[in-house]
Amino acid sequence: MTAADVLLGRALVEEATKKSGLIWVRGTGPARALWHVWHEAAAVLVGDGPGEQPLPEGLVDGGAAEVTVRSKDKGGRLVAWTAAVAVLEPHSEEWEAAVAELKGKRLNAPDAEQMTDRWARECRVVRLTPGASRTEVPDGSLAAAPLPTGATTRRPAPAALPRLLLKRRRKN
């Protein structure tokens, strides 16, 4: 691999990760889709606290993670990269800068005023710094069964729903 290939790989990782709303992160367990922000040449995540996204197993300080970035327009796999994991210490200078970026992107926070204090007490802020990247197409499907979560509910469809849907079609 030439120096130009390395620079192009870094540029692709940065641009794709900046533009993607979700990245797939795998530590030692299954991969999870996570929202993030791109800050100072790394993806920054917040999670593992009440009301926040669950982070994958194995995201420990000094560890490694596999990050897969999807294409924003087609949704397919665009690039994968290996990340060095750093858990930021609450209220450190690096943590404050990362949290300022995360706070602006956090949607529907129930406690927007006290959110950063809650993150410092109950959550982890993780920085994923890119290492090697790969853009090759994988040899098979990377599809996996969805991870169990308490966020989904299954309720029967309302009895009137089929009539309502058919009624709309007839009018058009």
Side-chain angles (χ1 to χ4, degrees):
M1 189 179 278
T2 67
D5 291 338
V6 171
L7 289 175
L8 286 173
R10 285 185 190 159
L12 176 62
V13 164
E14 180 174 347
E15 199 60 30
T17 308
K18 273 184 191 177
K19 291 186 182 222
S20 181
L22 289 175
I23 55 176
W24 291 88
V25 180
R26 182 169 39 101
T28 57
R32 288 197 174 268
L34 304 170
W35 72 273
H36 69 287
V37 296
W38 185 262
H39 178 67
E40 295 180 0
V44 182
L45 318 164
V46 64
D48 279 353
E52 299 298 337
Q53 62 190 350
L55 298 178
E57 299 170 16
L59 284 187
V60 294
D61 201 27
E66 183 70 26
V67 179
T68 303
V69 182
R70 66 186 180 98
S71 166
K72 189 163 183 149
D73 58 345
K74 301 289 184 186
R77 180 177 185 250
L78 184 61
V79 65
W81 46 278
T82 304
V85 179
V87 178
L88 304 181
E89 190 64 35
H91 300 296
S92 66
E93 186 177 317
E94 196 175 30
W95 185 90
E96 293 288 347
V99 165
E101 290 292 319
L102 286 164
K103 185 178 180 182
K105 300 291 183 181
R106 174 64 165 93
L107 302 176
N108 304 323
D111 60 346
E113 299 299 320
Q114 294 82 26
M115 184 170 49
T116 56
D117 294 332
R118 179 173 53 85
W119 285 351
R121 280 189 323 271
E122 303 170 353
C123 298
R124 292 190 310 146
V125 176
V126 178
R127 179 181 173 86
L128 303 176
T129 306
S133 66
R134 296 176 307 289
T135 55
E136 75 276 356
V137 177
D139 282 343
S141 171
L142 296 178
L147 296 174
T149 177
T152 59
T153 57
R154 299 285 296 184
R155 294 186 182 166
L161 186 60
R163 282 194 316 267
L164 291 171
L165 292 174
L166 290 174
K167 193 177 192 181
R168 285 186 186 165
R169 288 187 192 158
R170 282 189 226 142
K171 285 184 178 179
N172 291 336

